[in-house]
Amino acid sequence: MANRVTLNHIAQHVGVSKTLVSLVLNGKAQQYGISKQTCDKVLAAVKELNYRPNKTARSLRIGKTETVGLIVSDIANAFYAQMARMFEDLASAQGYSVIICSTDEEVEKEQRLITMLRNRQVDGLVVSTSQREPEWLKAVYESGTPLVLIDRHLGSDTLPAVVADNRSGGAMLAHHLVEQGYNRPLVLGLSTNHISSVAERIDGFMDVFKEHGLPCAVREVGFNTVQADVDELLVNLKALPFKPDCLFAVNNNIATAVLHSLAASNVKIPSDMAMVCFDDLPYFSFISPTITAIEQPIAQMCSRAFEVLSQLMDGESYLSHEVIRLPVKLNVRQSSQNKSK
Amino acid sequence: MANRVTLNHIAQHVGVSKTLVSLVLNGKAQQYGISKQTCDKVLAAVKELNYRPNKTARSLRIGKTETVGLIVSDIANAFYAQMARMFEDLASAQGYSVIICSTDEEVEKEQRLITMLRNRQVDGLVVSTSQREPEWLKAVYESGTPLVLIDRHLGSDTLPAVVADNRSGGAMLAHHLVEQGYNRPLVLGLSTNHISSVAERIDGFMDVFKEHGLPCAVREVGFNTVQADVDELLVNLKALPFKPDCLFAVNNNIATAVLHSLAASNVKIPSDMAMVCFDDLPYFSFISPTITAIEQPIAQMCSRAFEVLSQLMDGESYLSHEVIRLPVKLNVRQSSQNKSK
DNA sequence: CTGAAAGCGCTTACAG
DNA sequence: CTGAAAGCGCTTACAG
């Protein structure tokens, strides 16, 4: 209904075969030595009849849809929204469209979405997985679907993966806090703490405090109940036996919830409680106090991931299954100022 | 390569025709009175051979791709990221995937993307258009492609459109400022000020000040140079003949840039300069000062838009071409506190 | 209850 | 230089 004009119509209109029309439209006129004149007639008809090629038919024939899938936990999250934008630009520059899907950290949903995208014959998949084990995705990969993990990996020697150096980021924050004189951190992690990114941030962070012989507490907040869980944790802070002097929010959602919660209960940052987090947001740099944060190399993560995906889609086998880790950046700001001051 | 098992394989494996297999797989077994036994054998083979239907082939045959396109200026913008997420949920509940495209407010890019999506045979299109004139999109609509505008309209009696009541929002902010004793507002709009949403926000805002006989200045910032333009405007604020006592940022990007800029130049809100904006962001409610903002009904906009799109996709003609305007909410906060205080 | 056949709109050997 | 034919993997009248 939306597209009534087909190759056949334009072939008949010009009085040639659809082979010819197809050749011309795909820029193979030169190669097949089709006369300039014929080309022009075809092109004129295309314009006149307002012909638009049916990509579904083309896809079926050539076995490629020029579509890639991007799977994240939530496209509304600032980190993934940025990632989506950068990924879109990279993909569209190569003629690919991208279908974005949100999993809400649900493994079943993720698997359902991946299966759906494969049925749609996407040429490749970039996924920020919520799965713990590599098996399911490995089966997908080994059955021939180009696949690269982003943001989160499932161990070396399993699947191609491009992530931020989360462990180092966690460690950088911890070193900084120790330097500033803080010694009783509370880590606010996610209930989905098996996720490599979160786990590594926390590990890197805690290891540093351990090295210094300092205690370190960890609490978890639920993916769908971030604000409520953070509120509850922070309200009861003073009642805790362990009295933290600084907070580490493991991602931007938790950081925002923490700021919200501390503001509501009138806790002063950093004098009452210091705070640092993973993921940098624009507003961190100008609110009072400004917030110390780790900035992730989103652009590089996207380009490396797309690079690997392209290789895979070109049929090249990807041998090195070492996880690609990209360096992060520590932005020191007021929220973690020297404790004595 | 990714999908070697076809209907034919499983038909042969079971020893039936592919018609039968197709019927079973599409839940038409009952309808065609196919025996339970046959069904089971088919289903068993599907499982055993790990068959996944090729949706591209299906789409070509049935003339529907079960895909919709969502076109916005920038998916990384918090407003559109939220919209995308809500839209994804609505669409996927009905079996649709969504392809998201960013236009950067470029009309040519928008048109290119829409043509591309139509060639991909998307079943429908939701677009936050950057175009000034309805003609081009109207041609798309009238050629039979289900299309609904969102966030921005192109006039009544042109195309189905679902927008926020931007004019009222602008007026609400202005009334509030006037009540609080402010009388020399500076509006920070976009260079793409023909966009209905921005234009209406500004009109609604200015009309109120006009009614009160108060002056009102407007400056424009470029879509791709928001921070730089805002910085320049605000740095020279004191040099201006017109000395504003309050700022109206017409969207969330500009608001964030304004806050950044004011913080950098140590301007106190609201004592030195009050500020209000369109679009509410989570951090507005807890930074100091909290920021007065208009909250858009994103969820309702998405559901109304998807509702209309569904009607269109079902082939029902959509008669009323009145723009659907949804009410916005004013969240009064500290950034626009009574001037005398 | 089940199957043979046509056809969706393309692309691509193959033949001349 | 150009065309007839096959086929991508489905769905759907049509026939029995």
Side-chain angles (χ1 to χ4, degrees), chain A residues 67-141:
Chain A
T67 306
V68 295
L70 175 63
I71 307 227
V72 298
S73 62
D74 182 11
I75 182 64
N77 177 311
F79 174 70
Y80 293 117
Q82 275 188 67
M83 176 175 283
R85 185 41 166 35
M86 291 171 176
F87 200 77
E88 179 195 338
D89 288 348
L90 291 165
S92 76
Q94 306 300 319
Y96 291 92
S97 290
V98 9
I99 298 180
I100 300 173
C101 302
S102 302
T103 65
D104 290 314
E105 305 283 6
E106 293 170 25
V107 173
E108 300 232 324
K109 193 168 175 191
E110 177 181 326
Q111 296 181 344
R112 222 168 44 234
L113 288 168
I114 290 176
T115 298
M116 182 271 285
L117 289 173
R118 294 178 82 200
N119 292 356
R120 281 178 185 275
Q121 313 298 120
V122 295
D123 298 328
L125 241 23
V126 171
V127 5
S128 174
T129 187
S130 299
Q131 304 189 52
R132 284 170 191 267
E133 309 292 346
E135 278 68 30
W136 196 91
L137 285 169
K138 212 165 175 189
V140 171
Y141 180 73

Side-chain angles (χ1 to χ4, degrees), chain B residues 290-311:
Chain B
T290 54
I291 308 296
T292 298
I294 290 288
E295 182 181 338
Q296 296 202 57
I298 309 184
Q300 291 97 302
M301 286 167 71
C302 288
S303 42
R304 289 301 295 274
F306 191 73
E307 213 172 81
V308 175
L309 191 68
S310 294
Q311 273 182 39

Side-chain angles (χ1 to χ4, degrees), chain B residues 8-315:
Chain B
N8 241 328
H9 292 125
I10 102 115
Q12 282 171 13
H13 188 263
V14 181
V16 295
S17 73
K18 46 185 190 150
T19 301
L20 198 60
V21 179
S22 175
L23 257 21
V24 171
L25 258 32
N26 287 301
K28 300 191 178 166
Q30 286 271 33
Q31 183 180 335
Y32 284 78
I34 295 166
S35 75
K36 180 84 170 56
Q37 211 183 18
T38 313
C39 276
D40 288 348
K41 277 196 290 189
V42 168
L43 264 12
V46 161
K47 192 146 280 174
E48 183 186 344
L49 301 186
N50 197 14
Y51 170 72
R52 287 181 298 104
N54 182 322
K55 250 200 162 220
T56 300
R58 176 168 213 269
S59 292
L60 179 60
R61 184 62 230 270
I62 69 175
K64 288 165 52 44
T65 54
E66 288 161 301
T67 306
V68 295
L70 175 63
I71 305 225
V72 298
S73 61
D74 181 12
I75 182 63
N77 178 311
F79 173 71
Y80 294 117
Q82 273 188 68
M83 176 174 285
R85 180 44 147 81
M86 291 171 176
F87 200 77
E88 179 196 338
D89 287 349
L90 290 165
S92 75
Q94 306 300 318
Y96 291 93
S97 290
V98 9
I99 297 180
I100 300 173
C101 303
S102 302
T103 65
D104 290 314
E105 304 284 5
E106 292 169 27
V107 173
E108 300 233 323
K109 193 169 174 190
E110 177 181 327
Q111 296 181 343
R112 222 168 44 234
L113 288 167
I114 290 176
T115 298
M116 182 271 285
L117 289 172
R118 294 179 81 200
N119 292 356
R120 280 177 186 276
Q121 314 297 120
V122 294
D123 298 329
L125 241 22
V126 171
V127 5
S128 174
T129 187
S130 298
Q131 303 190 53
R132 284 170 191 268
E133 309 292 346
E135 279 68 31
W136 196 90
L137 285 169
K138 212 164 174 188
V140 170
Y141 180 74
E142 279 164 0
S143 84
T145 301
L147 170 69
V148 7
L149 301 182
I150 196 163
D151 176 47
R152 305 161 176 193
H153 65 79
L154 292 170
S156 283
D157 296 320
T158 56
L159 292 161
V162 179
V163 305
D165 190 348
N166 291 295
R167 169 173 278 278
S168 295
M172 285 158 87
L173 289 171
H175 272 127
H176 167 67
L177 286 170
V178 169
E179 269 171 25
Q180 300 297 310
Y182 295 95
N183 49 29
R184 286 191 318 282
L186 171 61
V187 177
L188 295 172
L190 278 173
S191 53
T192 47
N193 66 354
H194 57 279
I195 292 170
S196 74
S197 55
V198 173
E200 291 175 359
R201 287 168 199 180
I202 297 180
D203 284 353
F205 186 88
M206 292 185 70
D207 280 357
V208 170
F209 277 91
K210 262 182 220 148
E211 279 168 25
H212 285 267
L214 296 169
C216 188
V218 182
R219 291 293 181 279
E220 295 173 359
V221 317
F223 177 76
N224 291 310
T225 52
V226 171
Q227 189 66 61
D229 290 359
V230 166
D231 283 346
E232 199 183 322
L233 279 169
L234 298 189
V235 160
N236 300 319
L237 220 49
K238 294 177 184 168
L240 283 182
F242 180 86
K243 288 197 96 183
D245 60 358
C246 60
L247 260 23
F248 168 30
V250 300
N251 74 14
N252 73 69
N253 274 343
I254 298 179
T256 292
V258 164
L259 291 171
H260 187 119
S261 194
L262 293 183
S265 44
N266 249 310
V267 176
K268 297 293 167 237
I269 307 174
S271 52
D272 297 341
M273 179 74 76
M275 119 132 209
V276 299
C277 68
F278 224 94
D279 285 340
D280 206 3
L281 294 179
Y283 79 87
F284 287 171
S285 69
F286 61 76
I287 65 172
S288 178
T290 54
I291 308 296
T292 298
I294 290 288
E295 182 181 338
Q296 296 202 57
I298 309 184
Q300 291 97 302
M301 286 167 71
C302 288
S303 42
R304 289 301 295 274
F306 191 73
E307 213 172 81
V308 175
L309 191 68
S310 294
Q311 273 182 39
L312 259 15
M313 294 193 300
D314 289 347

Side-chain angles (χ1 to χ4, degrees), chain A residues 7 18 22 28 51 58 61:
Chain A
L7 259 197
K18 46 186 189 148
S22 174
K28 300 192 179 167
Y51 170 72
R58 176 168 213 269
R61 183 61 230 270

